[in-house]
mmCIF file of all heavy atoms in Angstrom:
data_model
loop_
_atom_site.group_PDB
_atom_site.id
_atom_site.type_symbol
_atom_site.label_atom_id
_atom_site.label_comp_id
_atom_site.label_asym_id
_atom_site.label_seq_id
_atom_site.Cartn_x
_atom_site.Cartn_y
_atom_site.Cartn_z
ATOM 1 N N ARG A 106 86.497 -99.833 120.848
ATOM 2 C CA ARG A 106 85.968 -101.108 120.400
ATOM 3 C C ARG A 106 86.674 -101.627 119.025
ATOM 4 O O ARG A 106 87.119 -100.780 118.247
ATOM 5 C CB ARG A 106 84.480 -101.110 120.044
ATOM 6 C CG ARG A 106 83.707 -100.503 121.097
ATOM 7 C CD ARG A 106 82.735 -101.431 121.655
ATOM 8 N NE ARG A 106 81.766 -100.697 122.356
ATOM 9 C CZ ARG A 106 80.680 -100.052 121.755
ATOM 10 N NH1 ARG A 106 80.569 -100.233 120.517
ATOM 11 N NH2 ARG A 106 79.901 -99.289 122.395
ATOM 12 N N ASP A 108 85.178 -103.007 116.785
ATOM 13 C CA ASP A 108 84.112 -103.024 115.786
ATOM 14 C C ASP A 108 84.014 -101.600 115.105
ATOM 15 O O ASP A 108 83.799 -100.624 115.794
ATOM 16 C CB ASP A 108 82.877 -103.397 116.542
ATOM 17 C CG ASP A 108 81.683 -103.183 115.602
ATOM 18 O OD1 ASP A 108 81.714 -103.672 114.493
ATOM 19 O OD2 ASP A 108 80.802 -102.470 116.023
ATOM 20 N N SER A 110 81.771 -100.435 112.939
ATOM 21 C CA SER A 110 80.510 -99.752 112.771
ATOM 22 C C SER A 110 80.197 -99.007 114.045
ATOM 23 O O SER A 110 79.475 -98.048 114.118
ATOM 24 C CB SER A 110 79.366 -100.649 112.383
ATOM 25 O OG SER A 110 78.718 -101.151 113.477
ATOM 26 N N ALA A 111 80.596 -99.547 115.210
ATOM 27 C CA ALA A 111 80.484 -98.872 116.445
ATOM 28 C C ALA A 111 81.137 -97.461 116.409
ATOM 29 O O ALA A 111 80.699 -96.435 116.846
ATOM 30 C CB ALA A 111 80.930 -99.594 117.570
ATOM 31 N N THR A 114 78.975 -95.129 114.384
ATOM 32 C CA THR A 114 77.992 -94.577 115.194
ATOM 33 C C THR A 114 78.341 -93.497 116.138
ATOM 34 O O THR A 114 77.865 -92.459 116.240
ATOM 35 C CB THR A 114 77.361 -95.705 116.027
ATOM 36 O OG1 THR A 114 76.895 -96.804 115.105
ATOM 37 C CG2 THR A 114 76.181 -95.313 116.889
ATOM 38 N N ASN A 223 69.549 -109.917 117.675
ATOM 39 C CA ASN A 223 69.591 -108.807 118.653
ATOM 40 C C ASN A 223 71.003 -108.207 118.772
ATOM 41 O O ASN A 223 71.969 -108.694 118.290
ATOM 42 C CB ASN A 223 69.118 -109.398 120.001
ATOM 43 C CG ASN A 223 68.645 -108.274 120.887
ATOM 44 O OD1 ASN A 223 68.459 -107.171 120.538
ATOM 45 N ND2 ASN A 223 68.179 -108.722 122.115
ATOM 46 N N GLY A 224 70.966 -107.084 119.511
ATOM 47 C CA GLY A 224 72.367 -106.428 119.869
ATOM 48 C C GLY A 224 73.004 -107.355 120.919
ATOM 49 O O GLY A 224 72.459 -108.199 121.488
ATOM 50 N N GLU A 225 74.214 -106.935 121.255
ATOM 51 C CA GLU A 225 74.963 -107.717 122.225
ATOM 52 C C GLU A 225 74.295 -107.610 123.597
ATOM 53 O O GLU A 225 73.933 -106.603 124.087
ATOM 54 C CB GLU A 225 76.422 -107.288 122.248
ATOM 55 C CG GLU A 225 77.173 -107.555 120.934
ATOM 56 C CD GLU A 225 78.389 -106.811 120.783
ATOM 57 O OE1 GLU A 225 79.405 -107.457 121.174
ATOM 58 O OE2 GLU A 225 78.476 -105.696 120.295
ATOM 59 N N PHE A 228 74.483 -104.966 126.557
ATOM 60 C CA PHE A 228 73.839 -103.643 126.579
ATOM 61 C C PHE A 228 72.331 -103.697 126.967
ATOM 62 O O PHE A 228 71.630 -104.597 126.675
ATOM 63 C CB PHE A 228 73.800 -103.021 125.111
ATOM 64 C CG PHE A 228 75.337 -102.870 124.687
ATOM 65 C CD1 PHE A 228 75.838 -103.460 123.573
ATOM 66 C CD2 PHE A 228 76.025 -101.858 125.368
ATOM 67 C CE1 PHE A 228 77.195 -103.123 123.162
ATOM 68 C CE2 PHE A 228 77.369 -101.539 124.938
ATOM 69 C CZ PHE A 228 77.935 -102.225 123.848
ATOM 70 N N PHE A 230 69.868 -101.959 126.135
ATOM 71 C CA PHE A 230 68.836 -101.832 125.130
ATOM 72 C C PHE A 230 68.517 -103.256 124.519
ATOM 73 O O PHE A 230 67.340 -103.552 124.106
ATOM 74 C CB PHE A 230 69.234 -100.942 123.927
ATOM 75 C CG PHE A 230 70.293 -101.480 122.876
ATOM 76 C CD1 PHE A 230 69.743 -102.126 121.850
ATOM 77 C CD2 PHE A 230 71.572 -101.435 123.045
ATOM 78 C CE1 PHE A 230 70.544 -102.740 120.843
ATOM 79 C CE2 PHE A 230 72.459 -102.002 122.101
ATOM 80 C CZ PHE A 230 71.932 -102.567 121.025
ATOM 81 N N ASP A 256 72.429 -113.104 118.816
ATOM 82 C CA ASP A 256 72.941 -111.805 118.861
ATOM 83 C C ASP A 256 74.407 -111.760 118.392
ATOM 84 O O ASP A 256 74.919 -112.830 118.103
ATOM 85 C CB ASP A 256 72.850 -111.213 120.314
ATOM 86 C CG ASP A 256 73.695 -112.105 121.306
ATOM 87 O OD1 ASP A 256 74.940 -112.081 121.201
ATOM 88 O OD2 ASP A 256 72.933 -112.818 122.030
ATOM 89 N N GLY A 257 74.893 -110.537 118.274
ATOM 90 C CA GLY A 257 76.280 -110.431 117.779
ATOM 91 C C GLY A 257 76.558 -108.992 117.538
ATOM 92 O O GLY A 257 75.769 -108.088 117.766
ATOM 93 N N PRO A 258 77.766 -108.615 117.130
ATOM 94 C CA PRO A 258 78.179 -107.248 116.800
ATOM 95 C C PRO A 258 77.205 -106.767 115.749
ATOM 96 O O PRO A 258 76.715 -107.560 115.001
ATOM 97 C CB PRO A 258 79.568 -107.395 116.278
ATOM 98 C CG PRO A 258 80.100 -108.632 116.759
ATOM 99 C CD PRO A 258 78.934 -109.621 116.955
ATOM 100 N N PRO A 259 76.907 -105.466 115.718
ATOM 101 C CA PRO A 259 75.951 -104.886 114.758
ATOM 102 C C PRO A 259 76.453 -104.748 113.357
ATOM 103 O O PRO A 259 76.309 -103.731 112.760
ATOM 104 C CB PRO A 259 75.672 -103.475 115.407
ATOM 105 C CG PRO A 259 76.990 -103.162 116.066
ATOM 106 C CD PRO A 259 77.637 -104.461 116.577
ATOM 107 N N THR A 260 76.954 -105.851 112.812
ATOM 108 C CA THR A 260 77.624 -105.766 111.469
ATOM 109 C C THR A 260 76.973 -106.587 110.441
ATOM 110 O O THR A 260 76.017 -107.457 110.736
ATOM 111 C CB THR A 260 79.032 -106.395 111.629
ATOM 112 O OG1 THR A 260 78.886 -107.760 111.992
ATOM 113 C CG2 THR A 260 79.879 -105.601 112.613
ATOM 114 N N GLU A 261 77.217 -106.292 109.229
ATOM 115 C CA GLU A 261 76.734 -107.041 108.091
ATOM 116 C C GLU A 261 76.998 -108.450 108.220
ATOM 117 O O GLU A 261 76.173 -109.348 107.935
ATOM 118 C CB GLU A 261 77.350 -106.392 106.866
ATOM 119 C CG GLU A 261 76.580 -106.597 105.539
ATOM 120 C CD GLU A 261 76.957 -107.806 104.739
ATOM 121 O OE1 GLU A 261 77.865 -108.585 105.204
ATOM 122 O OE2 GLU A 261 76.362 -108.059 103.695
ATOM 123 N N SER A 262 78.219 -108.778 108.763
ATOM 124 C CA SER A 262 78.559 -110.181 108.698
ATOM 125 C C SER A 262 77.817 -111.013 109.780
ATOM 126 O O SER A 262 77.562 -112.128 109.523
ATOM 127 C CB SER A 262 80.040 -110.318 108.928
ATOM 128 O OG SER A 262 80.465 -110.453 110.215
ATOM 129 N N THR A 263 77.473 -110.332 110.867
ATOM 130 C CA THR A 263 76.551 -111.050 111.892
ATOM 131 C C THR A 263 75.237 -111.361 111.226
ATOM 132 O O THR A 263 74.751 -112.546 111.394
ATOM 133 C CB THR A 263 76.261 -110.067 113.000
ATOM 134 O OG1 THR A 263 77.534 -109.814 113.716
ATOM 135 C CG2 THR A 263 75.218 -110.638 113.945
ATOM 136 N N GLY A 264 74.700 -110.397 110.465
ATOM 137 C CA GLY A 264 73.441 -110.756 109.765
ATOM 138 C C GLY A 264 73.535 -111.817 108.715
ATOM 139 O O GLY A 264 72.709 -112.708 108.633
ATOM 140 N N ALA A 286 68.762 -105.986 114.622
ATOM 141 C CA ALA A 286 69.079 -104.900 115.579
ATOM 142 C C ALA A 286 69.480 -103.671 114.874
ATOM 143 O O ALA A 286 69.232 -102.591 115.373
ATOM 144 C CB ALA A 286 70.184 -105.410 116.535
ATOM 145 N N THR A 287 70.031 -103.822 113.703
ATOM 146 C CA THR A 287 70.606 -102.648 112.965
ATOM 147 C C THR A 287 70.459 -102.729 111.548
ATOM 148 O O THR A 287 70.205 -103.906 111.016
ATOM 149 C CB THR A 287 72.134 -102.314 113.303
ATOM 150 O OG1 THR A 287 72.854 -103.344 112.639
ATOM 151 C CG2 THR A 287 72.408 -102.308 114.793
ATOM 152 N N THR A 288 70.590 -101.737 110.715
ATOM 153 C CA THR A 288 70.461 -101.815 109.290
ATOM 154 C C THR A 288 71.634 -102.497 108.681
ATOM 155 O O THR A 288 71.469 -103.266 107.762
ATOM 156 C CB THR A 288 70.294 -100.396 108.746
ATOM 157 O OG1 THR A 288 71.242 -99.554 109.340
ATOM 158 C CG2 THR A 288 68.872 -99.817 109.052
ATOM 159 N N PRO A 289 72.907 -102.407 109.249
ATOM 160 C CA PRO A 289 73.945 -103.260 108.657
ATOM 161 C C PRO A 289 73.631 -104.755 108.799
ATOM 162 O O PRO A 289 73.912 -105.535 107.923
ATOM 163 C CB PRO A 289 75.257 -102.902 109.420
ATOM 164 C CG PRO A 289 74.990 -101.464 109.823
ATOM 165 C CD PRO A 289 73.454 -101.426 110.171
ATOM 166 N N VAL A 290 73.122 -105.104 109.945
ATOM 167 C CA VAL A 290 72.698 -106.558 110.183
ATOM 168 C C VAL A 290 71.681 -106.838 109.008
ATOM 169 O O VAL A 290 71.736 -108.027 108.456
ATOM 170 C CB VAL A 290 72.095 -106.704 111.529
ATOM 171 C CG1 VAL A 290 71.364 -108.068 111.645
ATOM 172 C CG2 VAL A 290 73.281 -106.601 112.602
ATOM 173 N N ALA A 291 70.702 -106.008 108.843
ATOM 174 C CA ALA A 291 69.658 -106.288 107.854
ATOM 175 C C ALA A 291 70.313 -106.412 106.474
ATOM 176 O O ALA A 291 69.916 -107.400 105.624
ATOM 177 C CB ALA A 291 68.649 -105.254 107.783
ATOM 178 N N ASP A 316 69.109 -96.784 113.316
ATOM 179 C CA ASP A 316 69.553 -95.709 114.079
ATOM 180 C C ASP A 316 69.949 -94.509 113.270
ATOM 181 O O ASP A 316 70.552 -93.472 113.814
ATOM 182 C CB ASP A 316 70.897 -96.149 114.781
ATOM 183 C CG ASP A 316 70.571 -97.146 115.953
ATOM 184 O OD1 ASP A 316 69.677 -96.896 116.705
ATOM 185 O OD2 ASP A 316 71.279 -98.187 116.054
ATOM 186 N N LEU A 318 72.256 -94.261 110.865
ATOM 187 C CA LEU A 318 73.670 -94.000 110.680
ATOM 188 C C LEU A 318 74.035 -93.156 109.459
ATOM 189 O O LEU A 318 73.351 -93.398 108.483
ATOM 190 C CB LEU A 318 74.423 -95.397 110.679
ATOM 191 C CG LEU A 318 74.247 -96.318 111.734
ATOM 192 C CD1 LEU A 318 75.033 -97.580 111.584
ATOM 193 C CD2 LEU A 318 74.465 -95.623 113.084
ATOM 194 N N ILE A 321 74.206 -94.835 105.536
ATOM 195 C CA ILE A 321 73.336 -96.054 105.388
ATOM 196 C C ILE A 321 71.916 -95.645 105.233
ATOM 197 O O ILE A 321 71.323 -95.137 106.178
ATOM 198 C CB ILE A 321 73.523 -97.014 106.559
ATOM 199 C CG1 ILE A 321 75.004 -97.406 106.763
ATOM 200 C CG2 ILE A 321 72.653 -98.251 106.396
ATOM 201 C CD1 ILE A 321 75.245 -98.565 107.730
#
Side-chain angles (χ1 to χ4, degrees):
Chain A
R106 309 242 200 83
D108 170 53
S110 95
T114 301
N223 203 2
E225 295 168 89
F228 294 117
F230 83 87
D256 59 71
T260 61
E261 206 267 359
S262 90
T263 292
T287 68
T288 47
V290 168
D316 290 315
L318 306 184
I321 301 192

